[in-house]
Amino acid sequence: MDKLNQSSDNSVQSAPSDNKVANDGTGVVQLDGYLEPFKPQLRSRFSKAQKWINDIDKSEGGLEKFSRGYERYGFNISSDGTITYREWAPNAMRAYLVGDFNNWNRDSHEMKRDDFGVWEIVLPPHNGQPAIEHDSKVKISMVVPNDGQRAERIPVWIKRVTQDLTVSPIYDARFWNPPQKYKFKNPRPPKPASARIYEAHVGISSPDPKVATYSEFTKNVLPRIKHLGYNTIQLMAIMEHAYYASFGYQINSFFAASSRYGFPDELKELIDSAHGLGITVLLDVVHSHASKNVHDGLNYFDNSDHLYFHEGARGRHELWDSRLFNYGNHEVLRFLLSNLRFWMEEYNFDGFRFDGVTSMLYTHHGIGTGFSGGYHEYYGPDVDEDGVVYLMIANEMLHNLYPSCITIAEDVSGMPALCVALSLGGIGFDYRLAMAIPDLYIKWLKEKQDIDWDMGALCHTLTNRRHGEKTIAYAESHDQALVGDKTLLFWLCDAQMYTNMSTLSEFTPVIERGMALHKMIRLITHALGGEGYLNFEGNEFGHPEWLDFPREGNGNSFHYARRQFNLPDDSLLRYKFLNEFDGKMQWTEEKYGWLHSPQAYISLKNESDKVIVFERAGLLWIFNFHPSSSFTDYRVGVEQAGTYKIVLNSDDPEFGGLGRVKNDGRFFTTDFKWNERKNFVQVYIPTRTAIVLALEQTI
């Protein structure tokens, strides 16, 4: 489907600032006048969200209490060792708690049901100790209306599950009650003004062909992230998923951190250690769908098709082969909101990247749909209003309870007001992903010669975002690295990455081009593309090949399910140059803060020269994408007069460049209007080079 990270250039109109903002969900119209015809739909969404919030206030004591469902459901242990277990299973006729603690006696520990279909059992302590031993196996055994058969399931709110593939692929639920609770040592860092995000997957975070661990990530990868200058980590595949090759997107136990990487306390230590380094940690949360697993998932939990999900076809995603939540159900809201709250409270995450938001926003889930940017697509009959309202409530809850919380939406449709506050009628995310940007690069690398790159189209794609809504830009993420595609550097260099990435081998034109464009693409994306930046681990140094998890089709090989951090560490390989350039880019942003500065002013998009010039955060950016032409005394406009010096140079030998531009040069402005700027400077800008200039007094 088409990936639009936003609407067309003329889609935003700002209303006069003295207009009174309506309190009915239509305030967003003042940000975007093209929403005027859709005020009824905006009011409907807003009123439904407010009704849910008001109803929860009356019946549950408010969102704060409602979102702590994990303190009522699942297993909870009181100070005297009493265990209370509760489970919502209205279709069950009888229910029993079974496990190692009672030798799997399916009749000895019967549960009691209340009027709402919630089953409960209380186990008093035994000899001063909890009746269920820590880390022992448990299940709920239910008699269901199908000739009285038993449905034995993993408890929904369980906090740890394990898988022994030598015995069975089905997970076991563990009663997790360690004698010593992990104590966090470091406070959450302040919310970063500029989000520089390192997207990571714990399991692949090792050069070795294995599943890496939380502890290895803490020891080996956190220092790399800090060195590079990223201030935010986005952790993928943490919520427990039955199939490793699903990349973490087929969740079976929503409250369990994946046991394949280690123990819960080791994940807590990872997050705590990141906080100690001043790094914010986000969870890649999957509330768009769930695994269809029955024995160790939510599917047919009480033998009904519609407990947590929509019934029939509406409750199934035909492409993902998974189940779809019923966001209009009271108990489903409790489950999902409590899930968010749990990860914030139990593990000290700082926010979330919501996966598959497009599927949540529309009843067609984006399947077979190309979004044109027409507003009728965002407010027509295909919108799943319950899904929209759930996201409104989730964002409102998170930002009220955790003011520094960050939420990011992965949406390919370009839904307006996605990153506008609920009070104005928006959905309430902090950021949206600019999903059109990486698609542009891959398309051009596949289909165009370098000389045919369109500077205007590049600038348009990088800057075309909704007014007042913050965007995370990226040149490539995990999506572009998956099997069937390749990393950017592999597209650029292909087979020569196997033969010419050593500094002892020839610096061929292919490698020279690939490294130059790898740096330029990332820098211009960072500078122009949004209010945040994202990189998938390993891509900062031009990771070779692609990503493919062990599966039957590849002989269960880990060869492509790892990150070869040994490559940038080898002083004889050219990967080190790309790695250090990426670090220089992040730390330069830390100093000048362009991501939280107003959008850039682009003064030049020269199609024949292939030169782009713009200003942002007081810096002057000059890019020459021409494959063969260098320019001497090239005149570029700049608003602020003064003496400029280079602060970042992609041609620097330190970053694998040719050293054609000297970093110690000084550039003096001339008081003469050029390209609608008050002054100009003249620079030497070689082919396939980017330089960034700053006023001398700011360096």
Side-chain angles (χ1 to χ4, degrees):
M1 69 187 88
D2 292 336
K3 293 183 179 179
L4 307 179
N5 45 310
Q6 53 277 320
S7 60
S8 60
D9 280 344
N10 64 352
S11 65
V12 173
Q13 291 184 352
S14 296
S17 59
D18 58 351
N19 279 9
K20 187 176 180 180
V21 177
N23 192 29
D24 62 353
T26 61
V28 69
V29 175
Q30 293 198 26
L31 289 175
D32 186 349
Y34 283 80
L35 289 169
E36 181 75 34
F38 304 100
K39 278 186 172 181
Q41 291 92 327
L42 289 168
R43 290 192 185 98
S44 175
R45 295 177 182 185
F46 183 79
S47 64
K48 183 174 281 192
Q50 292 300 325
K51 185 177 187 306
W52 266 117
I53 293 170
N54 292 335
D55 288 349
I56 289 169
D57 284 344
K58 292 175 184 176
S59 64
E60 301 281 356
L63 276 174
E64 195 281 331
K65 185 177 179 182
F66 185 63
S67 61
R68 285 190 277 120
Y70 50 85
E71 294 179 357
R72 172 171 172 77
Y73 292 85
F75 290 91
N76 286 284
I77 305 99
S78 62
S79 58
D80 68 352
T82 298
I83 298 171
T84 304
Y85 169 54
R86 296 186 185 94
E87 199 75 75
W88 179 54
N91 194 51
M93 300 163 63
R94 293 193 302 280
Y96 303 84
L97 179 61
V98 300
D100 293 337
F101 75 99
N102 68 356
N103 294 314
W104 298 93
N105 187 322
R106 282 158 175 78
D107 299 305
S108 62
H109 287 72
E110 187 169 1
M111 302 175 71
K112 294 182 180 179
R113 174 189 166 125
D114 70 10
D115 294 338
F116 300 99
V118 177
W119 297 88
E120 176 182 317
I121 187 170
V122 177
L123 282 70
H126 181 67
N127 295 329
Q129 297 296 319
I132 305 177
E133 188 177 349
H134 167 61
D135 205 26
S136 62
K137 296 177 183 179
V138 290
K139 272 189 177 181
I140 182 172
S141 178
M142 294 169 282
V143 177
V144 294
N146 185 3
D147 299 326
Q149 291 185 10
R150 290 281 183 130
E152 299 201 336
R153 305 286 188 257
I154 282 183
V156 169
W157 301 70
I158 198 74
K159 298 179 178 68
R160 180 164 170 80
V161 295
T162 59
Q163 184 185 48
D164 184 352
L165 289 173
T166 64
V167 177
S168 168
I170 298 174
Y171 274 80
D172 293 311
R174 301 279 186 168
F175 176 74
W176 194 250
N177 183 35
Q180 300 295 325
K181 310 295 184 188
Y182 185 87
K183 293 182 179 179
F184 287 91
K185 306 172 188 67
N186 300 297
R188 299 180 194 272
K191 186 174 184 175
S194 298
R196 301 187 300 274
I197 303 170
Y198 195 85
E199 183 185 35
H201 182 292
V202 170
I204 67 170
S205 297
S206 168
D208 301 322
K210 66 175 187 177
V211 178
T213 67
Y214 296 124
S215 294
E216 288 172 326
F217 191 96
T218 302
K219 179 183 177 182
N220 301 326
V221 184
L222 283 184
R224 293 180 181 276
I225 296 170
K226 180 64 177 178
H227 167 75
L228 287 168
Y230 289 90
N231 58 20
T232 306
I233 300 171
Q234 179 180 300
L235 284 180
M236 308 174 63
I238 295 297
M239 302 165 74
E240 191 60 272
H241 47 291
Y243 185 40
Y244 188 47
S246 75
F247 222 142
Y249 292 125
Q250 294 274 345
I251 308 301
N252 51 314
S253 289
F254 282 73
F255 290 84
S258 182
S259 60
R260 53 172 57 86
Y261 318 128
F263 293 99
D265 281 5
E266 292 168 340
L267 173 58
K268 292 176 183 179
E269 184 183 27
L270 187 165
I271 296 167
D272 196 12
S273 300
H275 287 169
L277 295 171
I279 298 173
T280 294
V281 187
L282 308 180
L283 174 69
D284 196 353
V285 71
V286 186
H287 282 183
S288 47
H289 64 130
S291 166
K292 70 174 185 179
N293 285 16
V294 174
H295 295 292
D296 55 4
L298 301 182
N299 195 17
Y300 287 100
F301 180 76
D302 62 356
N303 218 45
S304 67
D305 188 39
H306 56 272
L307 186 61
Y308 288 94
F309 310 115
H310 286 292
E311 193 170 15
R314 190 180 177 192
R316 289 165 171 79
H317 196 293
E318 61 186 66
L319 289 185
W320 296 342
D321 194 25
S322 54
R323 296 305 309 269
L324 298 169
F325 288 106
N326 178 2
Y327 302 109
N329 180 283
H330 187 91
E331 291 301 325
V332 174
L333 278 185
R334 185 199 308 276
F335 174 77
L336 294 174
L337 293 174
S338 297
N339 189 234
L340 297 172
R341 188 83 188 276
F342 172 80
W343 291 106
M344 295 291 288
E345 291 287 335
E346 182 72 15
Y347 286 92
N348 258 17
F349 278 99
D350 303 297
F352 303 94
R353 179 259 199 189
F354 281 73
D355 179 70
V357 166
T358 306
S359 180
M360 304 170 75
L361 296 176
Y362 305 94
T363 55
H364 55 57
H365 311 295
I367 300 172
T369 303
F371 292 96
S372 67
Y375 278 43
H376 64 284
E377 296 170 339
Y378 307 128
Y379 300 97
D382 292 329
V383 172
D384 185 342
E385 195 171 69
D386 286 337
V388 172
V389 168
Y390 163 65
L391 292 171
M392 287 175 151
I393 297 170
N395 277 296
E396 183 76 356
M397 177 201 78
L398 287 168
H399 290 109
N400 283 343
L401 294 176
Y402 312 98
S404 63
C405 175
I406 296 173
T407 60
I408 302 171
E410 186 215 29
D411 170 43
V412 302
S413 75
M415 170 71 78
L418 194 64
C419 302
V420 174
L422 175 62
S423 60
L424 296 176
I427 296 176
F429 285 97
D430 291 288
Y431 297 93
R432 66 196 311 152
L433 291 173
M435 302 185 74
I437 295 174
D439 286 358
L440 177 80
Y441 292 134
I442 294 297
K443 181 178 176 63
W444 283 9
L445 290 174
K446 286 180 180 179
E447 300 175 3
K448 287 179 178 282
Q449 298 295 315
D450 295 358
I451 195 65
D452 296 322
W453 283 26
D454 185 326
M455 299 296 98
L458 177 58
C459 290
H460 172 80
T461 300
L462 288 168
T463 59
N464 182 26
R465 49 192 182 268
R466 292 196 180 280
H467 176 66
E469 300 193 43
K470 292 191 290 187
T471 298
I472 302 287
Y474 58 103
E476 53 184 332
S477 73
H478 68 271
D479 287 326
Q480 285 70 43
L482 288 173
V483 65
D485 212 328
K486 296 185 285 192
T487 61
L488 273 181
L489 192 65
F490 209 60
W491 275 112
L492 287 161
C493 300
D494 208 42
Q496 287 199 20
M497 287 187 73
Y498 297 113
T499 58
N500 291 87
M501 284 301 283
S502 168
T503 55
L504 303 178
S505 64
E506 181 189 358
F507 193 35
T508 64
V510 169
I511 297 296
E512 179 189 336
R513 167 187 177 261
M515 291 181 63
L517 287 178
H518 189 270
K519 290 178 285 187
M520 293 181 72
I521 285 171
R522 303 180 101 70
L523 182 59
I524 199 168
T525 302
H526 208 309
L528 270 188
E531 291 71 40
Y533 177 81
L534 179 143
N535 167 72
F536 178 63
E537 67 173 321
N539 289 347
E540 68 273 10
F541 61 80
H543 201 285
E545 301 172 321
W546 50 86
L547 190 62
D548 189 15
F549 286 84
R551 54 189 173 84
E552 188 177 339
N554 65 13
N556 291 310
S557 170
F558 282 88
H559 182 75
Y560 297 108
R562 59 196 178 109
R563 296 283 91 179
Q564 298 180 56
F565 290 118
N566 54 298
L567 297 178
D569 292 349
D570 190 329
S571 62
L572 294 179
L573 295 180
R574 294 187 166 106
Y575 295 100
K576 66 181 180 181
F577 299 128
L578 300 178
N579 192 70
E580 292 311 303
F581 179 80
D582 195 87
K584 179 70 171 179
M585 188 166 61
Q586 310 310 326
W587 286 112
T588 306
E589 198 288 326
E590 171 71 16
K591 179 174 182 177
Y592 292 99
W594 60 76
L595 288 173
H596 63 269
S597 296
Q599 192 160 316
Y601 182 90
I602 303 173
S603 60
L604 181 65
K605 296 172 283 189
N606 190 307
E607 296 299 344
S608 58
D609 293 347
K610 301 299 175 188
V611 172
I612 295 171
V613 179
F614 57 89
E615 294 151 85
R616 191 178 187 187
L619 301 174
L620 177 61
W621 311 71
I622 306 162
F623 290 79
N624 178 11
F625 281 96
H626 203 287
S628 58
S629 294
S630 300
F631 303 103
T632 304
D633 294 332
Y634 200 85
R635 188 174 291 188
V636 298
V638 62
E639 192 71 8
Q640 184 69 40
T643 302
Y644 285 80
K645 295 191 71 174
I646 292 175
V647 294
L648 188 55
N649 170 17
S650 70
D651 194 50
D652 192 323
E654 182 183 356
F655 309 132
L658 299 176
R660 295 164 295 182
V661 178
K662 304 305 178 186
N663 291 332
D664 57 359
R666 302 171 80 216
F667 304 87
F668 306 96
T669 58
T670 298
D671 183 11
F672 186 85
K673 188 174 183 180
W674 192 260
N675 287 337
E676 303 304 317
R677 309 311 276 161
K678 292 179 181 178
N679 308 278
F680 72 79
V681 295
Q682 294 188 164
V683 299
Y684 169 54
I685 182 73
T687 174
R688 293 198 183 107
T689 297
I691 58 174
V692 184
L693 308 181
L695 283 167
E696 192 171 41
Q697 62 267 30
T698 69
I699 298 174

